[in-house]
């Protein structure tokens, strides 16, 4: 009995150490603190692993935009992405119930590819869906390999233990999802101005501050020509359809490290790390041509639009606003040059043909 009491006290102290770490991380949280939430998720994964007595633990969030499950934190593994509805975590989320398997290699829903790659042996798994305060299923908590019981996990007892970490994870993830939604444009579903400033500070500014000439960061600022005429001719719902149509074309033109943002109204910004001025002008011209050749069909009516583009290369010496101003002034010049063209620092692209001229 004494040994059991000591073990319980040790477990309690370990749990309190982790929750103390959680509290201190929250105290240091900053408004842009994506890294802080990563630390919090790692602590929560460790909390669940400790409470339930497992060798490893991971927390998966559901990405409603990519329809994937992503490991936000994983004790013992790097980030993993899987399609929603696949694997044991996908099944738990889809069926909205906790699942235990103590014979995973004979479970058709278990993916053994990670074990085959790493040599790890999975003996038992507990997966538990995570819900928001609104009862929405937003993620999954997973514990792997029960340490103190060779029989594996007990569905009722271990879910009861894991519920504390799962509950806190749900609250934390819900705040992340709220932030993510606030940084996306509700119409086009690409990031908005708030999302731009967040990404600029966390993703692009660190690259600029390296001041490495081999790592330029380029910008495109563009807008839809005569957009008011679209609204006046076809109605504002048709105008919304055109905005969505254009946003999809812009989104299809970016790589994983790039960014596309609705700046406001019919104006958009695109950011391209590792891209110089010549390259970004070529990208802008390709997008210009794709928009010109495309058709937006709304309620049986075909609508065609064109876009104008201004290009710039960002520098660490300028603020975000001043960097934007360079591309914005070139966009203004594109409007003055007859629209449906690209302005950069060496001249004008007009309908795919370089034309002599100097941007303002």
């Amino acid at each position: 009995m004494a040994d059991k009491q000591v073990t319980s006290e040790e477990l309690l102290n370990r749990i309190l150490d982790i929750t103390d770490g959680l509290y201190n991380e929250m105290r240091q949280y900053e408004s842009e603190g994506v890294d802080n939430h990563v630390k919090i998720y790692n602590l929560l994964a460790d909390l669940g692993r400790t409470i339930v007595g497992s060798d490893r633990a991971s927390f998966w969030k559901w990405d409603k935009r990519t329809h994937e499950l992503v490991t936000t934190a994983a004790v013992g593994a790097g980030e993993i992405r899987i399609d929603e509805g696949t694997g044991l975590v996908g099944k738990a989320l889809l069926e909205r119930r906790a699942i235990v398997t103590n014979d995973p290699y004979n479970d058709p829903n278990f993916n053994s590819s990670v074990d085959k790659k790493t040599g790890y042996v999975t003996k038992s798994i507990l997966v538990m869906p995570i819900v928001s305060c609104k009862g929405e299923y937003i993620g999954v908590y997973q514990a792997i390999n029960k340490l103190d019981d060779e029989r594996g996990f007990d569905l009722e007892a271990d879910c009861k233990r894991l519920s504390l970490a799962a509950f806190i994870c749900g609250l934390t993830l819900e705040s992340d999802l709220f932030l993510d939604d606030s940084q996306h444009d509700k119409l086009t579903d690409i990031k908005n101005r708030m999302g731009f400033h967040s990404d600029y500070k966390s993703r692009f500014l660190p690259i600029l501050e390296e001041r490495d000439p081999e790592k330029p960061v380029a910008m495109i600022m563009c807008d839809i020509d005569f957009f008011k005429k679209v609204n006046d001719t076809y109605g504002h719902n048709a105008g919304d359809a055109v905005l969505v149509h254009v946003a999809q074309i812009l989104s299809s033109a970016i790589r994983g490290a790039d960014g596309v943002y609705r700046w406001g109204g019919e104006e958009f910004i695109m950011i391209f790390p590792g891209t110089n001025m010549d390259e970004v002008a070529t990208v802008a011209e390709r997008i210009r041509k794709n928009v010109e050749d495309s058709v937006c069909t709304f309620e049986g009516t075909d609508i065609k639009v064109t876009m104008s583009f201004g290009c710039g290369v960002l520098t660490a010496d300028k603020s975000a606003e001043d960097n934007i101003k360079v591309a914005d002034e070139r966009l203004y010049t594109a409007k003055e040059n007859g629209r449906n063209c690209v302005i950069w620092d060496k001249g004008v692209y007009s309908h795919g043909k370089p034309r002599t001229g100097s941007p303002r």
Side-chain angles (χ1 to χ4, degrees):
M1 181 65 72
D3 290 341
K4 184 176 181 181
Q5 183 64 34
V6 170
T7 302
S8 297
E9 288 178 358
E10 289 176 345
L11 176 60
L12 178 59
N13 284 330
R14 290 181 63 192
I15 292 171
L16 292 177
D17 285 342
I18 295 170
T19 55
D20 182 58
L22 284 167
Y23 174 70
N24 288 326
E25 284 297 332
M26 294 301 290
R27 290 174 62 195
Q28 298 171 18
Y29 180 76
E30 298 176 358
S31 59
E32 73 279 5
V34 175
D35 288 341
N36 290 57
H37 267 197
V38 170
K39 293 177 183 177
I40 289 169
Y41 284 127
N42 284 331
L43 284 168
L44 287 170
D46 196 33
L47 177 63
R49 183 182 65 84
T50 300
I51 291 174
V52 83
S54 66
D55 179 47
R56 293 185 175 185
S58 58
F59 176 63
W60 301 68
K61 70 176 180 180
W62 177 57
D63 189 327
K64 65 182 180 182
R65 291 186 171 86
T66 64
H67 298 284
E68 293 177 310
L69 281 162
V70 186
T71 47
T72 302
V75 177
E79 181 184 273
I80 303 171
R81 288 178 171 266
I82 63 172
D83 293 335
E84 62 183 4
T86 61
L88 288 167
V89 290
K91 182 178 180 181
L93 188 65
L94 181 66
E95 298 182 1
R96 302 185 175 186
R97 66 181 181 90
I99 295 173
V100 163
T101 177
N102 293 315
D103 187 16
Y105 292 114
N106 288 315
D107 191 315
N109 293 294
F110 176 65
N111 184 349
S112 61
S113 60
V114 174
D115 285 12
K116 291 176 181 177
K117 184 184 299 184
T118 63
Y120 187 78
V121 178
T122 302
K123 299 178 180 179
S124 55
I125 301 173
L126 164 62
V127 287
M128 187 173 182
I130 305 297
V131 296
S132 69
C133 289
K134 298 179 181 178
E136 300 167 330
Y137 286 78
I138 55 177
V140 175
Y141 209 115
Q142 177 176 248
I144 299 175
N145 284 358
K146 182 79 169 176
L147 294 175
D148 57 0
D149 193 336
E150 293 184 357
R151 295 171 298 179
F153 292 104
D154 179 271
L155 183 62
E156 183 176 351
D158 287 315
C159 281
K160 185 176 182 179
R161 291 182 178 183
L162 192 58
S163 62
L164 172 62
F167 171 71
I168 302 173
C169 257
L171 295 178
T172 309
L173 178 56
E174 188 169 25
S175 70
D176 268 2
L177 295 176
F178 178 79
L179 176 62
D180 186 62
D181 284 342
S182 72
Q183 294 181 354
H184 280 80
D185 177 54
K186 288 181 172 55
L187 175 65
T188 62
D189 205 34
I190 63 175
K191 288 192 175 182
N192 55 21
R193 189 175 294 213
M194 184 185 299
F196 168 83
H197 284 295
S198 176
D199 283 356
Y200 189 91
K201 187 170 185 178
S202 65
R203 293 172 53 194
F204 307 128
L205 185 58
I207 301 174
L208 295 177
E209 290 176 337
E210 291 180 19
R211 299 180 184 274
D212 185 346
E214 299 298 317
K215 297 179 180 179
V217 181
M219 170 185 287
I220 293 173
M221 194 158 193
C222 55
D223 74 0
I224 302 171
D225 298 327
F226 303 112
F227 185 67
K228 183 177 182 301
K229 186 176 180 180
V230 173
N231 284 328
D232 292 344
T233 303
Y234 303 103
H236 287 279
N237 289 340
D240 287 348
V242 169
L243 288 169
V244 172
H245 172 74
V246 166
Q248 290 172 344
I249 294 175
L250 300 183
S251 296
S252 68
I254 66 171
R255 305 159 299 182
D258 304 333
V260 57
Y261 310 87
R262 186 180 177 191
W263 191 241
E266 68 272 26
E267 254 184 349
F268 300 85
I269 283 179
M270 306 178 76
I271 305 290
F272 299 88
T275 305
N276 61 34
M277 183 66 82
D278 289 0
E279 292 167 338
V280 80
T282 301
V283 171
E285 170 57 20
R286 184 166 62 245
I287 297 171
R288 184 202 67 76
K289 187 68 166 59
N290 288 342
V291 172
E292 183 182 46
D293 292 343
S294 70
V295 177
C296 173
T297 302
F298 176 74
E299 295 183 347
T301 300
D302 290 343
I303 305 171
K304 291 182 68 67
V305 295
T306 60
M307 296 187 73
S308 300
F309 298 79
C311 301
V313 172
L314 310 183
T315 69
D317 297 327
K318 292 186 175 72
S319 65
E321 290 73 17
D322 287 341
N323 275 315
I324 291 169
K325 186 177 180 181
V326 173
D328 191 36
E329 287 176 348
R330 289 172 181 164
L331 172 59
Y332 180 77
T333 303
K335 295 292 189 182
E336 288 192 327
N337 275 271
R339 296 179 170 82
N340 191 25
C341 63
V342 176
I343 296 289
W344 55 323
D345 67 343
K346 296 181 181 178
V348 183
Y349 270 123
S350 180
H351 302 292
K353 300 177 182 178
R355 187 173 73 202
T356 304
S358 58
R360 303 179 181 182

